[in-house]
């Protein structure tokens, strides 16, 4: 998955503040510009970022709509997981109550 890598998550976080060049994206990391370019390619293939040409610059842009879709998808599964954990908590609490009552007899 495109966002499984911490470098790519950091790139997306940086791009959430506005477009940036490969050099600007590479600056905070101790990896090569080529490595950053490969990470950007993965994000491009996932549809999360795009590149444009502005004279000599090739800024990378975050595709906010694609990120919104991804966030909605994640939220749906997060809500399902939270619902399942609440049911599990209730079940475990019921089992604990039953065990405590059994020991008092």
């Amino acid at each position: 998955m495109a966002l499984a890598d911490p470098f790519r998550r950091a790139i997306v976080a940086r791009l959430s503040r506005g477009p940036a060049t490969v050099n600007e994206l590479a600056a905070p990391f101790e990896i090569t510009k080529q490595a950053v370019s490969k990470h950007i390619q993965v994000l491009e293939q996932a549809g999360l970022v795009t590149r444009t040409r502005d004279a000599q610059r090739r800024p990378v842009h975050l595709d906010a709509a694609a990120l919104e879709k991804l966030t909605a998808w994640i939220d749906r599964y997060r809500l399902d997981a939270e619902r399942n954990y609440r049911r599990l908590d209730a079940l475990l609490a019921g089992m604990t109550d039953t065990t405590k009552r059994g020991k008092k007899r």
Side-chain angles (χ1 to χ4, degrees), residues 11-33:
I11 289 169
V12 168
R14 167 53 189 87
L15 292 173
S16 70
R17 297 189 313 265
T21 64
V22 172
N23 287 341
E24 293 167 340
L25 293 171
F29 304 111
E30 292 186 18
I31 61 175
T32 65
K33 292 175 197 163

Side-chain angles (χ1 to χ4, degrees), residues 34 36-47 49 51:
Q34 291 81 7
V36 172
S37 288
K38 287 184 180 188
H39 285 296
I40 291 169
Q41 286 175 351
V42 171
L43 293 170
E44 276 183 303
Q45 290 169 353
V49 301
R51 290 188 206 198

Side-chain angles (χ1 to χ4, degrees), residues 9-103:
R9 288 193 304 269
I11 289 169
V12 168
R14 167 53 189 87
L15 292 173
S16 70
R17 297 189 313 265
T21 64
V22 172
N23 287 341
E24 293 167 340
L25 293 171
F29 304 111
E30 292 186 18
I31 61 175
T32 65
K33 292 175 197 163
Q34 291 81 7
V36 172
S37 288
K38 287 184 180 188
H39 285 296
I40 291 169
Q41 286 175 351
V42 171
L43 293 170
E44 276 183 303
Q45 290 169 353
L48 294 173
V49 301
T50 58
R51 290 188 206 198
T52 58
R53 187 172 295 269
D54 180 19
Q56 296 297 321
R57 295 182 77 232
R58 291 202 55 200
V60 181
H61 304 267
L62 181 64
D63 184 342
L67 194 58
E68 269 302 313
K69 287 180 188 176
L70 179 61
T71 302
W73 181 83
I74 291 169
D75 281 346
R76 189 178 91 223
Y77 285 97
R78 181 185 55 80
L79 292 172
D80 287 345
E82 285 176 3
R83 211 174 4 261
N84 289 338
Y85 282 121
R86 281 194 299 273
R87 287 189 358 233
L88 179 59
D89 286 343
L91 177 66
L92 293 174
M95 291 173 68
T96 302
D97 291 344
T98 303
T99 303
K100 286 179 183 176
R101 279 184 283 188
K103 288 182 179 179

